[in-house]
Amino acid sequence: MSDDPPDPEKVGDEGRPPSNSAYHALARRFRPQTFAEVVGQAQVVQTISGFLRQGRVPHAFLFSGSRGVGKTTSARILARAVNCENLQDIEPCGACPSCLDSLEGRSVDIFELDAASNNSVEDVRALREQASFAPLKGKKRVFILDEVHMFSKAAFNALLKILEEPPDHVVFILATTELHKVPDTVRSRCSVLPFRRIGESAIQERLAQICAREGKEIAPEVLAEIAASCMGGLRDAETALERILPLAEELDLEGFRRLEGRLGFQRALGLIGDCLEGDVGAALRYAQEASEIGAEERECLGEILSVCRFLFCIVADGEETLLIEAEGEWRDRLVSVANKTSLAYLDGMMQCLILARDRMRRFDDRRVLLELTLTRLARLGETRSLQELLEQAPAPSRAPTVRPAEPTPFPPTSSSRPDSRGPVDPRTAAPAQKPSPPSAGKAKEEPAPQAPPTPTDPWLQALEWVGKKKPLLRTLLVRGKPIWEKQAALRVELRPTGRLDRQLLQREDSARLLQAALREVMKRDVEVRFVLLDEANPPPPSTDSPAPKKPPSDEGLPELGREIKKTFGANLVDRRLEEPGA
Ligand SMILES: [Zn+2]
């Protein structure tokens, strides 16, 4: 893959420049012609300036960095600078015969080789021969080798021979997107200059400059969208701008998205915000919009995934993280959404997206799969664990005085009811979770063996506290299912197995004791309600739960969190995911 689009300066296979065209003219007009115009590479430009000012340009450079960040452009400016007859400090004058030859693609001393298609040892031997001649017109012969990591091993060895004893009149500028593929022996003989990805604000500024130069006006939100979506690659941004430039005046953000056939990062972030709110309707509207503008569903998921990664980096590494290039307003928006979520949640989201993207390859009705996936993302919040809910509760004013309890293994119930579960299994803490009905496929849905519950769990601590006062009550509660209805209201679903147990649980002071225990542990008042269940009295639907209700069609569907855990192991997940089209 070449670092740049076709360009008149690039020498074709027959050694002649390819024919010019309006496209090339436009591309060249956009391209920086001086170091001052190079965007976002201050460090690199500073290093090159040092060499030029001292008149001691190294024989070999290695420009590394991702695509479209200015490597080839900088290489061409440097090539002109070393040959310019009238250098302006560090900038080529752009007017002397050498500069003009280069700008018009007919320089006899500046060579460009695309290593992606000229990577054999013969190509490098031809290069060596060229390098042995003195410059015809200028001061140096400059060889720009693009995508140099594509060289074969033999080609690298041949190149190394020249780099070991370069003629005085030669400058090599190697460029690569994959530095690790360039042998150390070659790297060590080059002055290696790392090119950074370019920040959005710099890209947006550059796009605005181009618009001004072209006498076009484009809505700032369109430029922001382009800048945010190009992942630090200026050339991709310029190419996108070039496509819309003829329509500039009439184009709003909506029109731009339609034209590009993609909803973009900003919209993806909006969707993630909706999902965090559990807004299934809004999530489905995203799918509708995607369909209306003809966006490819897999690409939509890819965009959402990219934005999830931004959020993940912010949550994991802090607001100032350098792991992402986001800047300005865009970063502010990312941070504000990141503050509402957690690593665990994003992890779940990303795994869901990765899985769906993979499935889409083999699935015809992609719209349905997109809708299903977005619905899942919007409902991920329902599976938040008890631990997570407690973490979100206001911090206690001082540390709990109760010594953390030892991990308490869940004792088996006297009757082996299929829906009896451990008290602290985070999955059972989901507000709307119902016990799975026994069925032939039930064995697969049985929860996987759990790690011992965390001893810092306030529920467990409270049970320990209760156990010191009323050991019998503790043994009953330990089999119960704690469900946080609000941050300060706990419902405990219990299945007493005998009359005495039932009576004990119905006594007012039992609930009050647990309440006191929770107050002791959590340093705040918690409303406690015991709900006694038996075969004739199934768990009530949690109408007062803040989470949206499950649609009936999802009855028996394994809880999403568990599903994701199983994603890379069990067949069940596959079957479930493809169900809508089956
Ligand atoms: Zn010049």
Side-chain angles (χ1 to χ4, degrees), residues 84-85 93-94 96 99:
C84 179
E85 292 155 28
C93 72
C96 70
C99 283

Side-chain angles (χ1 to χ4, degrees), residues 80-81 83-88 91-100:
R80 278 201 289 282
N83 275 315
C84 179
E85 292 155 28
N86 190 17
L87 196 65
Q88 315 285 306
E91 305 284 12
C93 72
C96 70
S98 168
C99 283
L100 286 176

Side-chain angles (χ1 to χ4, degrees), residues 375-392:
T375 303
R376 287 185 174 181
L377 295 186
R379 293 183 53 219
L380 263 184
E382 292 172 35
T383 62
R384 272 182 301 176
S385 67
L386 172 64
Q387 188 65 38
E388 227 178 312
L389 284 171
L390 290 170
E391 276 168 10
Q392 285 170 4

Side-chain angles (χ1 to χ4, degrees), residues 18 50 68 94-95 104 109 133 140 148 248 260 268 288 359 434 436 445 560 569:
E104 281 158 28
D109 292 318
F133 298 126
K140 303 269 189 190
V148 74
E260 293 280 289
Q288 173 71 17
R359 290 285 174 273
K434 287 182 189 172
S436 309
E445 294 178 21
L560 195 53

Side-chain angles (χ1 to χ4, degrees), residues 7-25:
D7 187 281
E9 272 183 72
K10 191 149 274 182
V11 176
D13 283 344
E14 307 86 43
R16 285 178 288 106
S19 65
N20 214 329
S21 70
Y23 169 79
H24 290 149

